[in-house]
Amino acid sequence: MILGNWKMHTLKADALTLAASMRTVAEATDTLIGICPPSLWVDQIVTEVADSRLMVGVQDCVADDFGAHTGCINAAMVANAGCAFALLGHSERRKRFGETSQTIAPAVGAILETGLFPVVCVGETEVDRDAGRADQVVAEQLAPLVGQGFDLDGVVIAYEPVWAIGTGRVATLAEIVAMHRWIREVLERPELVVLYGGSVSPETASSIFSSDQVSGALVGGASLDADKFAAIVAAWETR
Ligand code: PEP
């Protein structure tokens, strides 16, 4: 599975053009391909790619039922818009909006209840890694997902070291492999889908994908360029 997170990029016309190119990429592969456009463009993009293999997701949502929650969208809305999945707990949401695994765990359940799949983002900061706390921090981020009464097998985890996001610095293969193993161990799910995210590019993808611990990628910057994204997908297919 290779997913793209467009973050707060694109005006509508550019988003529709990019989605059309991503649709072409998705049609040319058996790999599951998904994009997370800004929420404002999701509805139209879902309509435009409805008859294709391209999955559309949102970059965040809340667990709440309908109500007075200014600026929020909930799982029912995400499903009603025709999305296939939702990113939850991206480090940029954790940092800027104070989201934590405790606050996102109910949203994970809400997304699963709608029949969509959640992609839960976890990852340590550079300070945590330098202090030797990466495993502990990621385990703490995963802990609230356990015992919630939902089936963890339906959850996708994206391991995204914060220091590798948008920096051009990729974790070493050894770090990636060890953390993917650790995540499956902590959740006691040997078959869990675990994606790597953090400066995945056409140049770095082949090395990242060389381990069978890695189930795919969550791509930020390079998902805004269909050629780069296609090259990442090609690297996955030839791993
Ligand atoms: C991300 O934001 O999820 C991400 C991985 O970004 P980038 O690929 O740009 O590092």
Side-chain angles (χ1 to χ4, degrees):
M1 182 187 295
I2 314 281
L3 306 177
N5 174 14
W6 295 1
K7 310 192 184 188
M8 198 178 74
H9 290 286
T10 67
L11 292 176
K12 191 167 165 180
D14 299 330
L16 292 172
T17 304
L18 184 55
S21 302
M22 291 296 195
R23 173 197 181 125
T24 305
V25 175
E27 293 293 351
T29 176
D30 289 336
T31 304
L32 290 172
I33 304 294
I35 53 171
C36 297
S39 298
L40 280 171
W41 317 144
V42 160
D43 183 53
Q44 194 164 343
I45 289 175
V46 166
T47 306
E48 303 255 335
V49 305
D51 56 345
S52 82
R53 300 189 67 252
L54 179 63
M55 301 184 293
V56 182
V58 290
Q59 298 175 13
D60 196 52
C61 86
V62 298
D64 303 69
D65 203 347
F66 298 101
H69 306 291
T70 303
C72 298
I73 51 177
N74 69 15
M77 292 163 158
V78 177
N80 192 225
C83 287
F85 68 102
L87 300 186
L88 294 168
H90 190 282
S91 63
E92 287 153 15
R93 303 288 312 178
R94 290 178 191 260
K95 186 166 180 219
R96 180 163 177 173
F97 299 102
E99 292 185 9
T100 65
S101 293
Q102 281 79 8
T103 64
I104 66 150
V108 174
I111 284 291
L112 285 168
E113 261 175 46
T114 63
L116 313 187
F117 67 90
V119 180
V120 178
C121 305
V122 297
E124 79 287 355
T125 63
E126 187 165 25
V127 172
D128 292 328
R129 178 154 288 273
D130 289 348
R133 286 195 301 264
D135 284 5
Q136 181 197 329
V137 165
V138 169
E140 284 167 6
Q141 291 172 338
L142 295 170
L145 303 179
V146 179
Q148 292 281 345
F150 51 70
D151 184 4
L152 279 170
D153 289 326
V155 177
V156 173
I157 302 291
Y159 168 54
E160 301 203 300
V162 179
W163 47 272
I165 295 180
T167 60
R169 284 176 59 200
V170 183
T172 65
L173 187 59
E175 288 167 339
I176 294 171
V177 168
M179 191 59 86
H180 279 59
R181 281 212 180 96
W182 175 240
I183 288 167
R184 294 190 175 96
E185 196 180 318
V186 169
L187 293 178
E188 298 178 4
R189 291 290 184 291
E191 304 298 328
L192 199 71
V193 176
V194 185
L195 311 178
Y196 172 78
S199 297
V200 179
S201 67
E203 293 74 33
T204 60
S206 295
S207 162
I208 295 164
F209 295 154
S210 65
S211 166
D212 59 9
Q213 288 292 317
V214 178
S215 314
L218 176 55
V219 183
S223 73
L224 293 167
D225 179 324
D227 290 339
K228 287 186 183 169
F229 193 77
I232 292 168
V233 174
W236 173 258
E237 285 171 345
T238 53
R239 69 195 182 280

